[in-house]
């Protein structure tokens, strides 16, 4: 099979991960971008960012998603709407018979996650949420487990930290008071980092072991950024959990500042088995390069994106890439993985079903952090 | 074969970085110890690590959750400190696994890391001076399976 066969509709544009996802689809010969769209009543700054990405990509901007979903050349929808709007948009796209490529984490509410899983099943579309499971280091780790290289897994310990943002501005000295059901996930200057980063080790651990979380105890904190503290969202979180079979797992995640790591951030998982230990490290294998070029330094703070969430604002702020660690392996295209699934008419290993479990784990973690109790899964439904 | 180090040397180096102030205020420690130890010595060894980590953070513990089973050689502590710092302190006792320490210490202005596999660990029975309060607290947390508040006596 060759040639262009998937028309991709982008829901929500600039200053989201859509900038990166769109680039990945453009790079794949199987795809053609059709348009940028969104809900018709979005705020003026969101509308402008949507229009800007459409111009940059050379595709039309269709202001109303209802009109865009009627375009017959659309087969795939890439959805990067903010978490609060993501669920209803994804369900609408599934109802229109479109395959779903979804930003992480899936949705912020359990009823939305359940409804999305039901919609994907009912309308028989394929779905996939961005995660690390498609990366070569993750695939190799799973093969090692499948081959029995470490025997029976006895415990898991994972850290994922994003080394971005100008740290050292949070006021320390007191425990963070968490909300049992977070109301805001993503603001212009801060995200809930337990959710934003935690989704990666949660999905990776479940995928590697084939086990679901059965209980969690979580703590959130404000250690690094005044922006997070002022907006009452955490910049750090940890989870101590049990997977099926009483397999202990500890997870630490967050955003810890530009200068806290030589590259994008610590991203390691240790799986301890009864006949060996498997270290899964996104930053290995690598070259370590040192030169007489000027030392790397953090970029200026972008007023519209102080945490450097987005590729476009990173460029606007003059960000130089960190180049002292050079990955030996090329990263894989997560979008290409999903297109492979469509080509082969098979389910993604990170469909809305698996992604919804991560949502449930994260919601349980926030409830635990608020109540300071162990929370058991699955969560009760009304 | 990789070079080895004694745990006391690692701890001295960490303390030196903390004393320099380069990391700012330490707020989180991940300390995972992979070693060979009899089940009966898991809690004392873990208590020794927890004592060391509390010293690095320079805060008194407020709540502790323990997961795992000393008989399986896998125990993980979640420690919340009185002024907001946290720690994940864990131990894996598996004869066939490499001995070592996985360490991440985050400060509000920087971080330090020691990765398992970079060096192996020499047995050093004097490296951890276990606080009796920690031993009792971990044993209690393991029995309950719930986060245990640290009593005033321990904190003083």
């Amino acid at each position: 099979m060759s040639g262009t066969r998937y028309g991709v509709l982008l829901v929500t544009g600039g200053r989201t991960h859509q900038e990166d996802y769109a680039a990945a689809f453009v790079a794949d010969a199987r795809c053609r971008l059709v348009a940028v769209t969104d809900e018709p009543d979005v705020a003026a700054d969101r509308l402008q960012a949507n229009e800007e990405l459409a111009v940059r990509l050379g595709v039309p901007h269709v202001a109303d998603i209802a009109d865009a979903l009627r375009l017959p050349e659309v087969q795939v929808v890439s959805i990067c709407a903010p978490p609060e709007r993501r669920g209803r948009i994804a369900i609408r796209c599934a109802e229109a018979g479109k395959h779903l490529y979804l930003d992480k984490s899936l949705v912020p509410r359990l009823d939305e996650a359940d409804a999305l899983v039901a919609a994907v099943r009912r309308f028989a579309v394929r779905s996939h949420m961005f995660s690390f499971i498609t990366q070569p280091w993750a695939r190799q780790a799973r093969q090692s487990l499948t081959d029995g290289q470490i025997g029976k897994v006895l415990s898991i310990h994972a850290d994922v930290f994003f080394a971005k943002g100008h740290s050292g501005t949070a006021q320390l000295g007191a425990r963070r008071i968490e909300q049992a059901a977070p109301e805001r996930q993503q603001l212009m200057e801060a995200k809930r980092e337990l959710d934003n980063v935690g989704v990666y080790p949660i999905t990776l651990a479940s995928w590697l072991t084939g086990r679901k979380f059965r209980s969690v105890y979580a703590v959130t904190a404000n250690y690094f950024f005044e922006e997070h503290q002022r907006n009452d969202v955490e910049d750090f979180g940890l989870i101590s959990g049990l997977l099926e079979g009483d397999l202990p797992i500890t997870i630490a995640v967050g955003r810890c500042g530009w200068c806290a790591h030589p590259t994008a951030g610590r991203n390691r998982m240790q799986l301890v088995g009864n006949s060996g230990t498997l270290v899964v490290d996104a930053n290995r294998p690598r070259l370590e390069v040192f030169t007489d070029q000027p030392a790397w330094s953090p970029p200026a703070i972008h007023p519209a994106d102080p945490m450097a969430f987005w590729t476009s604002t990173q460029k606007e702020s003059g960000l130089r890439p960190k180049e002292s660690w050079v990955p030996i392996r090329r990263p894989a295209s997560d979008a290409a993985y999903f297109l492979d699934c469509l080509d082969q008419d098979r389910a993604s290993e990170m469909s809305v079903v698996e992604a919804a479990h991560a949502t449930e784990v994260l919601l349980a973690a926030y409830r635990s952090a608020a109540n300071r109790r162990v929370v058991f899964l699955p969560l009760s439904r009304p | 074969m990789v070079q080895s180090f004694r745990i006391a040397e690692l701890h001295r180096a960490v303390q030196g970085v903390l004393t320099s102030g380069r990391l700012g205020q330490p707020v989180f420690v991940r300390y995972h110890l992979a070693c060979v130890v009899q089940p009966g010595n898991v809690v004392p060894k873990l208590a020794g690590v927890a004592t060391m980590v509390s010293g690095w953070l320079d805060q008194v513990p407020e709540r502790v959750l323990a997961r795992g089973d000393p008989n399986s050689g896998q125990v993980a502590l979640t420690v919340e400190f009185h002024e907001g710092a946290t720690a994940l302190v864990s131990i894996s006792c598996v004869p066939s696994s490499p001995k070592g320490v996985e360490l991440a210490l985050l400060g509000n202005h920087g971080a330090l890391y020691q990765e398992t596999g970079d060096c192996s660990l020499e047995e050093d029975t004097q490296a951890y001076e276990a606080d009796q309060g920690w031993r009792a607290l971990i044993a209690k947390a393991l029995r309950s399976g719930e986060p245990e508040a640290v009593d005033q006596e321990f904190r003083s």
Side-chain angles (χ1 to χ4, degrees):
Chain A
M1 199 184 292
S2 63
T4 302
R5 51 193 175 275
Y6 299 114
V8 180
L9 176 66
L10 308 177
V11 180
T12 308
R15 297 189 182 176
T16 72
H17 290 131
Q18 196 73 271
E19 297 171 350
D20 309 313
Y21 299 166
F25 283 118
V26 166
D28 197 302
R30 293 171 288 185
C31 294
R32 183 179 72 85
L33 298 186
V34 175
V36 176
T37 191
D38 210 326
E39 294 179 307
D41 55 351
V42 294
D45 57 345
R46 170 45 45 210
L47 177 63
Q48 183 182 344
N50 291 347
E51 291 173 340
E52 285 172 358
L53 185 66
V55 168
R56 207 179 313 150
L57 295 170
V59 298
H61 172 255
V62 179
D64 190 336
I65 189 172
D67 297 331
L69 287 173
R70 280 194 286 271
L71 295 170
E73 61 268 42
V74 174
Q75 287 81 40
V76 175
V77 185
S78 173
I79 301 173
C80 288
E84 294 78 6
R85 299 197 288 120
R86 195 174 297 154
R88 66 174 184 246
I89 289 174
I91 290 171
R92 189 173 185 176
C93 294
E95 289 171 347
K98 311 303 182 187
H99 301 300
L100 308 178
Y101 186 79
L102 295 150
D103 196 14
K104 55 82 193 177
S105 65
L106 188 65
V107 287
R109 297 205 328 254
L110 191 58
D111 61 341
E112 284 186 317
D114 289 344
L116 180 53
V117 170
V120 164
R121 285 184 175 140
R122 180 178 175 199
F123 294 98
V125 296
R126 297 292 186 195
S127 62
H128 176 78
M129 182 186 75
F130 182 88
S131 75
F132 288 154
I133 72 153
T134 54
Q135 294 311 302
W137 48 269
R139 314 300 291 186
Q140 186 178 33
R142 191 153 98 151
Q143 189 61 51
S144 298
L145 291 174
T146 303
D147 294 344
Q149 290 185 13
I150 64 167
K152 179 186 176 187
V153 180
L154 302 175
S155 66
I156 302 174
H157 306 282
D159 295 341
V160 183
F161 290 102
F162 290 172
K164 292 202 289 188
H166 293 261
S167 65
T169 55
Q171 187 173 351
L172 303 176
R175 181 176 68 83
R176 172 179 165 75
I177 307 300
E178 190 51 86
Q179 297 175 299
E183 294 170 1
R184 297 186 298 176
Q185 299 289 328
Q186 182 177 307
L187 300 108
M188 180 271 285
E189 55 187 356
K191 295 179 183 177
R192 280 192 168 274
E193 305 295 355
L194 174 61
D195 178 284
N196 180 49
V197 188
V199 67
Y200 289 120
I202 289 169
T203 50
L204 183 61
S206 284
W207 175 76
L208 283 172
T209 62
R211 302 190 201 198
K212 290 184 174 182
F213 283 71
R214 284 297 172 234
S215 70
V216 294
Y217 180 74
V219 183
T220 57
N222 288 102
Y223 288 150
F224 306 105
F225 304 109
E226 178 272 339
E227 290 88 344
H228 288 69
Q229 204 163 38
R230 175 160 37 88
N231 287 289
D232 195 18
V233 297
E234 77 285 355
D235 57 29
F236 173 91
L238 60 82
I239 295 173
S240 175
L242 291 176
L243 300 178
E244 290 171 323
D246 287 339
L247 175 61
I249 179 169
T250 63
I251 292 171
V253 295
R255 180 179 302 268
C256 60
W258 286 114
C259 295
H261 197 268
T263 181
R266 178 175 166 86
N267 187 349
R268 274 169 77 87
M269 178 178 285
Q270 284 198 106
L271 297 104
V272 181
N274 63 353
S275 61
T277 295
L278 177 63
V279 177
V280 186
D281 190 334
N283 293 308
R284 289 180 187 267
R286 63 174 180 250
L287 303 176
E288 299 193 8
V289 181
F290 306 93
T291 74
D292 61 2
Q293 291 183 342
W296 186 89
S297 59
I301 296 174
H302 194 295
D305 182 12
M307 291 296 139
F309 293 142
W310 319 122
T311 300
S312 60
T313 41
Q314 288 172 14
K315 287 180 182 170
E316 289 167 13
S317 65
L319 173 67
R320 284 171 52 210
K322 295 179 179 177
E323 294 178 312
S324 59
W325 284 10
V326 177
I328 289 175
R329 278 192 296 232
R330 285 187 174 186
S333 165
D334 189 79
Y337 167 89
F338 183 47
L339 297 173
D340 290 343
C341 292
L342 297 182
D343 277 353
Q344 297 158 18
D345 193 24
R346 60 177 167 86
S348 161
E349 297 155 281
M350 196 51 59
S351 75
V352 291
V353 174
E354 292 78 19
H357 177 62
T359 291
E360 195 162 1
V361 175
L362 288 163
L363 289 169
Y366 281 112
R367 189 179 298 180
S368 170
N371 299 331
R372 310 189 81 185
R373 305 282 300 177
V374 175
V375 173
F376 295 89
L377 292 101
L379 298 175
S380 61
R381 267 73 169 174
Chain B
M1 183 173 176
V2 296
Q3 290 184 310
S4 63
F5 64 88
R6 297 173 72 85
I7 208 80
E9 295 174 304
L10 170 67
H11 292 173
R12 191 162 48 242
V14 171
Q15 190 60 60
V17 174
L18 288 173
T19 302
S20 76
R22 294 163 61 200
L23 305 184
Q25 182 171 332
V27 292
F28 168 72
V29 176
R30 149 86 72 188
Y31 193 120
H32 177 73
L33 174 64
C35 62
V36 178
V37 63
Q38 294 300 312
N41 286 329
V42 166
V43 169
K45 202 145 199 165
L46 203 53
V49 178
T51 304
M52 175 67 62
V53 167
S54 298
W56 289 344
L57 292 168
D58 196 22
Q59 293 188 23
V60 291
E62 184 182 73
R63 288 164 76 87
V64 174
L65 173 80
R67 298 275 201 176
D69 177 3
N71 291 317
S72 74
Q74 312 295 317
V75 178
L77 305 180
T78 303
V79 188
E80 298 167 74
F81 290 87
H82 190 57
E83 293 176 62
T86 50
L88 290 171
V89 177
S90 52
I91 191 167
S92 291
C93 308
V94 180
S96 55
S97 290
K99 294 177 285 183
V101 172
E102 181 84 6
L103 173 64
L105 196 163
L106 303 186
N108 66 338
H109 284 281
L112 69 79
Y113 310 101
Q114 153 67 32
E115 296 181 345
T116 307
D118 284 350
C119 283
S120 69
L121 181 64
E122 290 180 22
E123 280 302 316
D124 191 353
T125 54
Q126 303 302 312
Y128 303 101
E129 293 183 19
D131 181 292
Q132 289 300 322
W134 268 110
R135 291 192 193 194
L137 181 59
I138 294 168
K140 184 180 177 186
L142 279 168
R143 281 195 301 273
S144 74
E146 291 286 335
E148 291 289 341
V150 177
D151 60 34
Q152 195 65 39
E153 187 177 340
F154 182 98
R155 287 161 59 175
S156 63

